[in-house]
Amino acid sequence: MIDLSPEQFRELGYRAIDLIAEQLKTVREAPVRRPTGDLREQIMSQPLPQEGQNPSDVLEDAANRLLPYPMGNNSPRFFAWINSPAAPIAILAELLAAGVNPSVAGGDHAATYIEHAVLKWLKIIMTFPADGGALLCSGGSVANLIALGTMRHVKTEGRIRAQGFQSESAPMVVYTSTQGHSCIQKAVEILGIGNDYLRKIPVDADYRINVDQLRAQIAADRAQGLRPVCVAANAGTVNSGAIDPLNEIADLCVEQDLWFHVDGAYGGFGILAEQTVGLYDGIERADSIAIDPHKWLYVPVECGCVLVRDAQAMRDAFSLIPPYLRDDNALPWFSEFGIQQTRGFKALKLWMALQHIGEQGYRESISRDITLARFLQKRIQERDDFELIAAGPLSVTCFRYAPPGITDLDSLNRQLVAIVQQEGQIFLTTTELEGRLVLRACVVNFRTTEADLDTLLNVLAEAGQRVLTKP
Amino acid sequence: MIDLSPEQFRELGYRAIDLIAEQLKTVREAPVRRPTGDLREQIMSQPLPQEGQNPSDVLEDAANRLLPYPMGNNSPRFFAWINSPAAPIAILAELLAAGVNPSVAGGDHAATYIEHAVLKWLKIIMTFPADGGALLCSGGSVANLIALGTMRHVKTEGRIRAQGFQSESAPMVVYTSTQGHSCIQKAVEILGIGNDYLRKIPVDADYRINVDQLRAQIAADRAQGLRPVCVAANAGTVNSGAIDPLNEIADLCVEQDLWFHVDGAYGGFGILAEQTVGLYDGIERADSIAIDPHKWLYVPVECGCVLVRDAQAMRDAFSLIPPYLRDDNALPWFSEFGIQQTRGFKALKLWMALQHIGEQGYRESISRDITLARFLQKRIQERDDFELIAAGPLSVTCFRYAPPGITDLDSLNRQLVAIVQQEGQIFLTTTELEGRLVLRACVVNFRTTEADLDTLLNVLAEAGQRVLTKP
């Protein structure tokens, strides 16, 4: 009743594969998203099923209600947030992972070794020391949390686990830029440090942290009796792809005895691009790095990763196995290095994608994403109805629809983006930069072409004209 | 190069489905696990691939190196920890989820509504208020973390997010039993409370928390100037399936103004069983509950769930959207209620499994797992070479191989379990109960039969004899 016969499984499995193959066939022409109509009500009002149903009916029903209403990120014309399409080989890896269904907490089975292999490869890609600690996790938020949790452990000399904050006399202070991701704030809050002690340092014209102001703030905090402990630098801000001056920050952290963390959730893998030479210099000096394979390595969500230089500190910060019980001959369990006990097999999709695509293939594709962003920026500058607001070194572009003579551009762009989101020919979102609402287009998509970017601008301009001419 | 053509995807996809179908066909006879030999070295020494490889070769290679060396939990003779096999329909759901690849942070697409539907159903199953907050997450550790994080927010009247622990004059104290899961300790540590302030209260003969001692400890802590804030009760301990007296604890929490949390990661869904009538009474009064669909609802890892009575408090504890920007007409984003921003589509496997199996089907299967545990316990008691150590109300059994006249049973059982783990005909693990090493067999497996349990005892006894007779 719960089990399926091999024949039943094969029949339903082929059908599920066909459904995804069909999607692959139409993804280029299909709308990015479709209006959901009464789908919300229809799905959410369904009562808890009492009797079991035919599995084939369940599959067809799921296909009918799910597949036409995706978030849209498999489409070449999806430019919102930072959500890539899934590499098809990685979709199949998820199928195999679910079929084997291990918990990768640790132990002697293939999944454990595959995660170790993948972590080794990720350290090589990030130029990180081979003996550093590493762990796959749900995404950037948890990667940053684990990194800062290790920092907190080290900066309290291990007191925190037993005593909490009871034995800390001075509040810890963490630094990031005004462009730092909100998940740094969330980590600081979860860890009990408090966001009053998270300093958001101003940025320069390129949205990189101002190191002089950072230095001055650290001194001011020390003078006030606070305890600066960590700089969370950005290697690719979500707003504009800015990469903070990592070597300068590394120097400052050495001088000031601060933990040097790098949030590379979006931008970390930009290190592979041909256009970014030199920009990541210093990342190899980081105490910890957060990266997100489910962003720029094109594997399905969820797949984040945290790297910590001092593997022993990482283990000591989280392991529930007392040191005298740890077996030095066996590999340590992954669950000793993070916040989960049972852990899914996220490594397989990376392992298979890295073998199918190769480091070289990733270099080419990530470079191409950046080249496409340059193309978009050039087109925006060529047109007189758009203005370019920010174009960092990576693949995100902030811009506005700004036809001559229009003053309330915030309102115009807010209205036009609502229209295009609803109509679904393209999909993008907005952000705020220096108090202005701007359109934001991110390219982390091996399917996007120059023609898709021309469509993006044309659809936006057409919607903008409708806003301007509506009665 | 990264993309596959629909035809290629179909061909590889069928092959992947065939591989899993083949596994389903042989899972009953195949060994639970196989010795991994040089697999560790072979996988971990592989260099980062430079050039991309043929996707078909990648798939075959993954099949060859992964499928023969599983953790083993799909097998009917896997009794270790609490890892269930994956319901085949849920394996296909993971395939579809990866194919669509949404982030279920929130927003207007099908995946969002499917998670809402599933959370509604889970609240019904757990007899939890329909307007409570709820979220899927990676598993029990994070479910407990989010629950206790909300507790911490409420108990500091919201100060914690901005001020951290700076404004708290008295240390918070959290209570669980000596049988509470280690992830409660991990949550208390991550949240900055400190494990010095986690009290592990003794249990009665049935491994249920001693409420008199709990009450006395709370009074003693108050007398010392500490601040009791929360009881984390167990609805199914991992060691023996004990369910704490929930109504008594609920009464005490009301009287003492404590947050009433229930860790039901393993045992929560035991509420569906016919044998447990009355044991969960009081769970409907909990402030928060952690449950793990990837344990007893037979969906692939990862899938945990947290329920919080006060949805507003849960949102206020984690949301980075200021209240004045929240849109009361739209559904709130899931990312406002927990620790992740990007969130995978864990809901689909539950949605499809609950429809395929039905509440009634789950009632029958969970009841059957408990009946099988009763059968094992009866067999142990009938034999004179085993002794029963603990048999709670759920599906876990603690026992020892104890042939007459042998005194060092810890050593004997440690050695014999190492043998059977290596040989792979059955698989189970040990735990410690009152200073004794015991064998622990958990049945959360729709494939297990009475014959498998007889095999379990026979294999253990045979290995035990080998230990006893070795030169």
Side-chain angles (χ1 to χ4, degrees), chain B residues 170-173 175 197 199 218 220-228:
Chain B
M172 293 183 164
V173 186
Y175 302 82
Y197 304 97
R199 303 279 181 257
I218 292 168
D221 287 330
R222 285 203 203 281
Q224 278 205 15
L226 305 178
R227 185 171 175 222

Side-chain angles (χ1 to χ4, degrees), chain B residues 145-453:
Chain B
L145 176 64
I146 293 172
L148 296 189
T150 307
M151 176 282 293
R152 187 187 67 162
H153 179 81
V154 169
K155 291 300 182 183
T156 60
E157 290 163 345
R159 290 183 300 269
I160 191 77
R161 290 189 58 179
Q163 298 169 40
F165 279 95
Q166 297 307 320
S167 300
E168 306 312 306
S169 47
M172 293 183 164
V173 186
V174 175
Y175 302 82
T176 190
S177 83
T178 55
Q179 300 297 306
H181 192 272
S182 59
C183 73
I184 299 291
Q185 175 181 335
K186 195 168 256 195
V188 160
E189 292 175 1
I190 291 169
L191 293 169
I193 293 170
N195 66 47
D196 279 355
Y197 304 97
L198 174 65
R199 303 279 181 257
K200 295 178 181 170
I201 305 296
V203 290
D204 65 18
D206 294 326
Y207 300 95
R208 297 153 31 112
I209 194 167
N210 182 317
V211 178
D212 291 335
Q213 287 185 266
L214 171 60
R215 181 188 298 275
Q217 185 64 50
I218 292 168
D221 287 330
R222 285 203 203 281
Q224 278 205 15
L226 305 178
R227 185 171 175 222
V229 289
C230 174
V231 178
N234 295 294
T237 61
V238 290
N239 272 344
S240 68
I243 301 171
D244 289 331
L246 301 177
N247 256 326
E248 271 186 76
I249 295 169
D251 290 341
L252 182 65
C253 286
V254 169
E255 174 197 309
Q256 296 283 328
D257 192 25
L258 305 182
W259 184 277
F260 175 34
H261 174 65
V262 178
D263 178 7
Y266 157 42
F269 295 112
I271 200 170
L272 290 170
E274 61 194 22
Q275 299 97 331
T276 60
V277 175
L279 289 177
Y280 291 85
D281 288 359
I283 201 169
E284 73 286 354
R285 298 167 65 190
D287 291 302
S288 53
I289 304 179
I291 43 179
D292 254 358
H294 69 204
K295 293 201 167 77
W296 224 346
L297 295 187
Y298 316 115
V299 297
V301 288
E302 300 170 348
C303 191
C305 178
V306 54
L307 307 178
V308 176
R309 172 174 302 272
D310 183 346
Q312 189 60 46
M314 189 182 182
R315 191 179 191 183
D316 289 341
F318 294 103
S319 177
L320 294 165
I321 302 176
Y324 62 88
L325 283 182
R326 296 181 194 163
D327 176 355
D328 289 337
N329 294 314
L331 289 167
W333 279 48
F334 287 116
S335 49
E336 296 183 69
F337 291 79
I339 68 173
Q340 294 179 232
Q341 181 63 37
T342 297
R343 300 176 66 254
F345 190 14
K346 303 179 197 299
L348 186 62
K349 53 192 166 191
L350 265 176
W351 196 57
M352 290 175 66
L354 278 160
Q355 291 180 80
H356 171 219
I357 298 165
E359 186 182 6
Q360 192 52 39
Y362 276 116
R363 284 188 187 280
E364 287 163 20
S365 186
I366 291 171
S367 299
R368 188 173 166 280
D369 287 337
I370 295 176
T371 299
L372 284 170
R374 298 280 163 282
F375 173 84
L376 174 64
Q377 291 149 20
K378 182 164 146 284
R379 276 288 199 265
I380 288 169
Q381 288 178 306
E382 286 166 359
R383 292 178 67 139
D384 63 1
D385 53 350
F386 283 93
E387 65 176 353
L388 184 64
I389 304 290
L394 300 178
S395 66
V396 62
T397 305
C398 292
F399 63 111
R400 302 213 279 193
Y401 180 60
I406 306 295
T407 50
D408 189 356
L409 293 173
D410 277 16
S411 167
L412 171 59
N413 281 273
R414 185 178 294 112
Q415 289 179 69
L416 75 85
V417 88
I419 291 173
V420 302
Q421 285 188 352
Q422 193 56 35
E423 297 186 345
Q425 203 181 344
I426 57 125
F427 196 84
L428 89 174
T429 47
T430 61
T431 190
E432 193 188 290
L433 270 183
E434 291 167 348
R436 292 175 295 186
L437 179 107
V438 299
L439 306 174
R440 179 185 169 286
C442 184
V443 183
V444 282
N445 195 323
F446 50 85
R447 294 196 178 111
T448 300
T449 64
E450 292 185 353
D452 294 314
L453 294 166

Side-chain angles (χ1 to χ4, degrees), chain A residues 360-405:
Chain A
Q360 192 52 39
Y362 276 115
R363 284 189 188 281
E364 287 163 20
S365 186
I366 291 171
S367 299
R368 186 172 167 280
D369 288 337
I370 295 176
T371 299
L372 284 169
R374 298 281 163 281
F375 173 84
L376 174 64
Q377 291 150 19
K378 182 163 145 283
R379 277 287 199 267
I380 289 168
Q381 287 178 308
E382 286 166 0
R383 291 179 67 140
D384 64 1
D385 53 349
F386 283 92
E387 64 176 353
L388 185 64
I389 304 290
L394 300 178
S395 65
V396 61
T397 305
C398 292
F399 63 111
R400 303 213 279 193
Y401 179 60

Side-chain angles (χ1 to χ4, degrees), chain B residues 16-34:
Chain B
I17 290 292
D18 286 346
L19 289 165
I20 300 174
E22 188 58 32
Q23 260 207 333
L24 288 176
K25 194 189 274 178
T26 57
V27 69
R28 173 149 295 289
E29 284 69 40
V32 183
R33 291 161 72 120
R34 287 185 185 84

Side-chain angles (χ1 to χ4, degrees), chain A residues 3 14 18 36 44 50 73-74 99 101 108 120 152 161-162 186 189 195-196 302 338 344 359 447, chain B residues 3 14 18 36 44 50 73-74 99 101 108 120 152 161-162 186 189 195-196 302 338 344 359 447:
Chain A
D3 226 342
Y14 284 7
D18 286 346
T36 51
M44 288 174 60
Q50 289 306 304
N73 44 317
N74 284 333
N101 191 32
D108 180 26
K120 184 179 85 167
R152 188 187 66 163
R161 289 188 59 180
K186 195 169 257 195
E189 293 176 359
N195 67 48
D196 279 356
E302 299 168 349
E359 186 182 7
R447 294 197 178 110
Chain B
D3 226 341
Y14 284 8
D18 286 346
T36 52
M44 288 174 61
Q50 289 305 303
N73 44 317
N74 284 332
N101 191 32
D108 180 24
K120 184 179 85 169
R152 187 187 67 162
R161 290 189 58 179
K186 195 168 256 195
E189 292 175 1
N195 66 47
D196 279 355
E302 300 170 348
E359 186 182 6
R447 294 196 178 111

